[in-house]
Amino acid sequence: MTANPEVGTVLLVVAAVLPWIVAAAFAVPRLRSLAITAAPLAAVPALTLALFGEPGTGIEIPWLFKHTVLLLDQTGKVFLGFTGLLYMAAAWYARSYLKNDPRKVRFFLLLLLAMGGNLGLILAGDVPTFFASFTVMGLASAGLVSHREDSSTRRAGRVYLSLTMLGEAMVLTGLVFLIVHDGTTEISQLHHGEPLGLAMILLSTGFGIKAGALTLHFWLPLAHPAAPTPASAVLSGAMIKAGVLGWIRFLPLGEAAEPTLGFTFITAGLTAALLGALAGVVQTNPKTVLAYSSICQMGILMTGLGIGAIEPGAWPGILSAVLIYIAHHALAKGALFLGIGPSTAAFGRREVLTARFGMLIPALALAGAPLTSGALAKVALKSNLVFLPDGWARALEIILPLAAVGTSGMMIRLLWLVWRPAAEQPKHPADGQWAPWLTLVAAVVAAAWLLPGAFDWLGVTLTPGKLWLATWPLFAGGLLVAAGARIRRRLNIDPSNWVPPGDVGVILGRLLAPLLARARVSPPAEDGHEYCDDRSETDSGGAPVFRWFGQMLAQGEEALASWPVAGATLLVVTGSLLALLIG
């Protein structure tokens, strides 16, 4: 199929635009049911391109975004593969999960928009297309987080949207600096001169928000429990990887040695790996445990990128290891999220055994157990420690196994939360949730071994030393969890209160609460008259006219937040921007 360049080019365009076409079908009420049914199929061209596409396939569209370039390279093939599979499984799963949800039309529309943005940024060969796709994905995913519309979900949605907008503003500014400095919008032509320090700071931080980097991570443990399970699967498995792809595409990795950037990434990554494990192992919500696991794993991944920034000559080999790690984590994390529903609601001996075995496979992979994709990914990543100074290499050789112990503890905690007997037997899940979940479980077993260079590490992972290095963290994590549970029972303490979900964000919220309380507008009295108190006009409440104005703004915000108004506004703004870009 790919021997014909024209077929590859057509498939490239179809993979990029099909999610948008299916999303547009929601504008016709009679087509909405068909669009929901077809939603999983929107990712099939991307999967086909990932499996059979030839690196180097590309197309230029001069009239779109002034000059759009779609391009498939080896990195894009890997990202396209696990991203397409995750979205297909999530949409497939959601058809059953949201069968009786009155807001399922909105969910599928936003999921398809996020899918289109995510696949578009992977295939983008120019900066405007990448950023436009990145922005659409971010805005649509904020709607997925806020799907349930209760108080905790609204709070998580506000935090996520605020950080998303901040990250996008930083990314846009950094990209503008790069375009002006290098005189081109083609991604492959950037960084051929001396790298810009300010642009690197902005891009590292902006993409770091999406990737859940340390101090920028606190949206993850808030968003994942709030979002529906299929949305959590793509948030953790695919969307946070968009931040990593941004780092790979726009930082000068492989172009020039950047020791400051490299050691910053390594330090932040190692700290995130340890703190994520400590925070995750005390959580009581399985989805929160998985959120902190993502923070831990993304921290380990950052160390690989940091090594690449320090040693540009070794970047091709480091990139291969990073891609194996990314694909492994994406599929394992997606399988764990989708497995929570069937595992907690399994009924009968066969379903219980299937659910437990199905959850055990990605949990062991994430913990790096021998013969799993996790062991392969960690051996490939750790092989690059030779490029670090001796002191840093020794530090990583100590800290990375400790992070593996923490990950093992989190996986044991997750399985205990999922498998423990429920006070009330939950509803038996629809059969439609099992097939997409087990498809991802099968991908966890096989997919990482299909990546370029994967079998080169097979012999290394089977040596006695590597097998022991992959095994002892599992036992150590189990012993620590058992010891912690025993201490908890003896001392009658609840460590889950020590680290609230959102950690840094919660602390900031508590510090800012007094300031926000002073600025908060007083609600109207129940009798309909304007609320008044005995404060003078010079008090922090301000003059009545200002309080009235604040109330009007709050009412206007509430009206704009309603789905019909917000949706129509988004369509108008998007259409206007497209008209300006095309014209």
Side-chain angles (χ1 to χ4, degrees):
M1 182 183 77
T2 56
N4 188 336
E6 293 183 359
V7 174
T9 301
V10 171
L11 189 59
L12 184 71
V13 175
V14 172
V17 303
L18 186 57
W20 305 101
I21 295 174
V22 179
F26 282 95
V28 182
R30 289 181 297 178
L31 296 179
R32 289 174 182 172
S33 177
L34 179 61
I36 290 174
T37 303
L41 301 178
V44 171
L47 274 174
T48 306
L49 193 62
L51 292 173
F52 304 109
E54 289 292 336
T57 303
I59 183 174
E60 296 185 10
I61 310 175
W63 52 266
L64 183 61
F65 292 166
K66 298 302 182 183
H67 192 86
T68 290
V69 178
L70 298 178
L71 182 66
L72 180 69
D73 60 2
Q74 189 60 55
T75 299
K77 276 173 64 74
V78 175
F79 274 84
L80 207 60
F82 68 74
T83 301
L85 186 58
L86 283 169
Y87 275 100
M88 185 182 73
W92 187 4
Y93 186 99
R95 292 192 308 191
S96 171
Y97 184 87
L98 300 171
K99 183 177 181 180
N100 299 316
D101 193 316
R103 296 180 291 272
K104 67 179 180 180
V105 169
R106 182 179 69 182
F107 176 89
F108 276 96
L109 173 60
L110 292 172
L111 183 68
L112 286 163
L113 291 175
M115 183 195 303
N118 208 333
L119 297 177
L121 67 89
I122 293 171
L123 296 172
D126 64 291
V127 172
T129 303
F130 180 95
F131 183 74
S133 301
F134 186 79
T135 301
V136 171
M137 183 194 71
L139 294 176
S141 60
L144 293 174
V145 171
S146 304
H147 176 77
R148 287 206 315 261
E149 297 185 350
D150 54 31
S151 57
S152 62
T153 299
R154 290 193 184 99
R155 171 173 170 258
R158 285 196 300 269
V159 171
Y160 179 75
L161 182 60
S162 299
L163 286 175
T164 295
M165 299 300 289
L166 175 62
E168 289 171 1
M170 299 181 79
V171 168
L172 177 60
T173 307
L175 293 177
V176 169
F177 280 135
L178 286 185
I179 291 172
V180 172
H181 180 262
D182 294 324
T184 181
T185 60
E186 291 192 30
I187 297 175
S188 61
Q189 300 302 315
L190 299 176
H191 286 308
H192 283 190
E194 183 179 352
L196 288 175
L198 181 57
M200 286 196 298
I201 293 173
L202 290 168
L203 294 172
S204 299
T205 308
F207 288 124
I209 292 176
K210 183 62 67 180
L214 186 69
T215 72
L216 307 170
H217 68 276
F218 56 87
W219 65 267
L220 275 165
L222 295 175
H224 285 324
T229 296
S232 296
V234 293
L235 274 168
S236 184
M239 292 188 197
I240 64 173
K241 307 303 187 300
V244 180
L245 183 62
W247 284 333
I248 293 173
R249 295 290 198 215
F250 296 106
L251 294 182
L253 301 171
E255 297 287 344
E258 294 291 337
T260 301
L261 176 67
F263 289 125
T264 299
F265 265 53
I266 292 173
T267 303
L270 293 177
T271 307
L274 293 177
L275 295 184
L278 292 173
V281 79
V282 300
Q283 301 302 319
T284 58
N285 187 319
K287 294 173 75 174
T288 308
V289 175
L290 288 174
Y292 278 105
S293 171
S294 291
I295 295 167
C296 176
Q297 297 298 309
M298 296 303 288
I300 296 174
L301 187 61
M302 286 181 69
T303 63
L305 296 176
I307 297 172
I310 294 169
E311 188 60 47
W315 175 241
I318 295 172
L319 177 60
S320 177
V322 165
L323 293 177
I324 292 173
Y325 201 101
I326 289 172
H328 140 73
H329 177 263
L331 296 173
K333 191 55 63 68
L336 288 171
F337 269 112
L338 293 189
I340 291 175
S343 296
T344 56
F347 183 79
R349 178 181 174 83
R350 179 180 296 180
E351 281 193 359
V352 170
L353 289 176
T354 302
R356 294 195 172 188
F357 187 68
M359 284 293 282
L360 190 61
I361 290 174
L364 287 173
L366 213 59
L371 303 180
T372 65
S373 61
L376 168 70
K378 289 181 179 180
V379 167
L381 203 60
K382 289 173 68 175
S383 67
N384 296 292
L385 297 183
V386 296
F387 299 112
L388 289 174
D390 290 341
W392 282 90
R394 284 195 294 269
L396 263 69
E397 288 175 351
I398 296 172
I399 296 175
L400 288 178
L402 293 178
V405 172
T407 300
S408 300
M410 280 191 288
M411 292 301 99
I412 295 170
R413 174 69 169 169
L414 170 72
L415 295 178
W416 183 83
L417 290 171
V418 171
W419 290 347
R420 63 179 177 175
E424 297 181 2
Q425 182 66 29
K427 289 184 178 181
H428 183 62
D431 293 337
Q433 297 177 20
W434 287 83
W437 169 51
L438 293 177
T439 299
L440 280 187
V441 173
V444 172
V445 176
W449 298 95
L450 301 177
L451 297 178
F455 276 99
D456 295 342
W457 299 103
L458 180 60
V460 178
T461 61
L462 295 178
T463 61
K466 295 300 181 183
L467 288 173
W468 169 244
L469 288 176
T471 302
W472 77 260
L474 299 175
F475 293 112
L479 290 174
L480 286 177
V481 170
R486 187 176 183 84
I487 294 172
R488 175 182 177 180
R489 286 194 298 269
R490 280 181 173 260
L491 300 181
N492 194 26
I493 58 176
D494 185 6
S496 63
N497 295 324
W498 298 350
V499 184
D503 49 90
V504 176
V506 172
I507 295 171
L508 286 175
R510 290 172 180 172
L511 292 175
L512 294 175
L515 297 176
L516 295 175
R518 292 181 181 179
R520 187 175 295 125
V521 177
S522 300
E526 294 183 0
D527 59 2
H529 292 86
E530 183 180 3
Y531 175 84
C532 297
D533 58 20
D534 56 359
R535 294 179 298 182
S536 68
E537 294 183 2
T538 58
D539 284 342
S540 59
V545 65
F546 293 116
R547 292 201 299 273
W548 171 84
F549 184 66
Q551 290 172 352
M552 294 296 293
L553 287 177
Q555 292 173 2
E557 181 183 10
E558 183 178 355
L560 287 173
S562 66
W563 168 242
V565 176
T569 304
L570 180 60
L571 287 175
V572 170
V573 171
T574 304
S576 301
L577 289 174
L578 286 173
L580 289 172
L581 288 168
I582 294 172

